[in-house]
Amino acid sequence: MLKLTNVSKVYNPKKPNEFCALKDVSFETADGELIAIIGKSGAGKSTLLHILACIDNCTDGEYRIDDTLVKELSETGSARIRNEKIGMVMQDFALVEDFTVLENVLLPLEFEKHKKPKSERVKKAMEALRSVDMDSMANKPVNKLSGGQKQRVAIARAVANDPSVILADEPTGALDSENAESIMRLFEKLNADGKTVIIVTHDPDIAARCKRIVEISDGKIVS
């Protein structure tokens, strides 16, 4: 499903502050995997995740999603594949604080290629909220929620378009142990439902619950 071949990422090339974040990385996932990406700060984990999410482009090498070569996509094409195939969950939730829970989950549905009527979009968003037990708070402003509740909303937003891949960047890093456990159970449920889930984490307990662990060090995959 996701395949990186000899991918490198260089920031500020040919400048005094040139930095190589990824070096000749090859990485492949199969459908329905639950993968942890681990490594020290600065190892290249987030850069790798951003390339997988089509947020950033590689400097060298190839990245394919299914049979699509990402570097051949226009900016619009990259945005479309992000919206249709990839759900992203961030450590800081990346929600619009002044919007309601429902309004946040509706956002990705506004950018579908074939936009559905509003009633259908609301129905789909409510189904996503129900899957994370947040449907009862649909009309509550996000700025009134706890950290754990915000992360549930972020997950609902990530799955609203029914993507095949969920990418999560330190999704439990800002949560206490009880909320972290609850969020990890949600990821395990999504994976059991057939979605590929890739989690960047510093937490060895979270990594241990994944079916496969990929370690990155100094921009290279070491295991």
Side-chain angles (χ1 to χ4, degrees), residues 28-49:
E28 187 172 354
T29 74
D31 289 348
E33 285 199 271
L34 176 57
I35 301 170
I37 297 177
I38 64 171
K40 295 178 180 178
S41 294
K45 304 185 301 301
S46 292
T47 299
L48 175 58
L49 201 71

Side-chain angles (χ1 to χ4, degrees), residues 7 20-25 42-45 216-221:
V7 162
C20 186
L22 292 178
K23 305 169 187 175
D24 199 33
V25 167
K45 304 185 301 301
I216 189 165
S217 177
D218 296 325
K220 297 180 179 180
I221 290 178

Side-chain angles (χ1 to χ4, degrees), residues 8 41 46-47 75 79 82-83 85 111 160 166 174 181 193 214:
S8 296
S41 294
S46 292
T47 299
E75 189 172 329
R82 273 199 308 272
N83 196 50
K85 295 196 173 187
F111 299 99
I166 304 295
E181 168 65 24
D193 289 341
V214 174

Side-chain angles (χ1 to χ4, degrees), residues 136-184:
S136 64
M137 295 190 180
N139 295 314
K140 193 167 186 176
V142 162
N143 57 22
K144 302 295 184 184
L145 301 180
S146 69
Q149 289 169 334
K150 288 180 180 181
Q151 197 60 293
R152 284 176 175 271
V153 175
I155 293 171
R157 183 186 57 189
V159 302
N161 266 349
D162 194 28
S164 49
V165 181
I166 304 295
L167 303 175
D169 194 358
E170 297 286 356
T172 61
L175 304 177
D176 60 32
S177 57
E178 183 178 347
N179 277 304
E181 168 65 24
S182 176
I183 294 304
M184 191 58 199

Side-chain angles (χ1 to χ4, degrees), residues 13 24 27 94 107 118 130 134 145 152 165 169 208 210:
D24 199 33
F27 172 75
L107 284 173
K118 185 175 181 179
R130 201 169 293 116
M134 285 296 291
L145 301 180
R152 284 176 175 271
V165 181
D169 194 358
C210 296

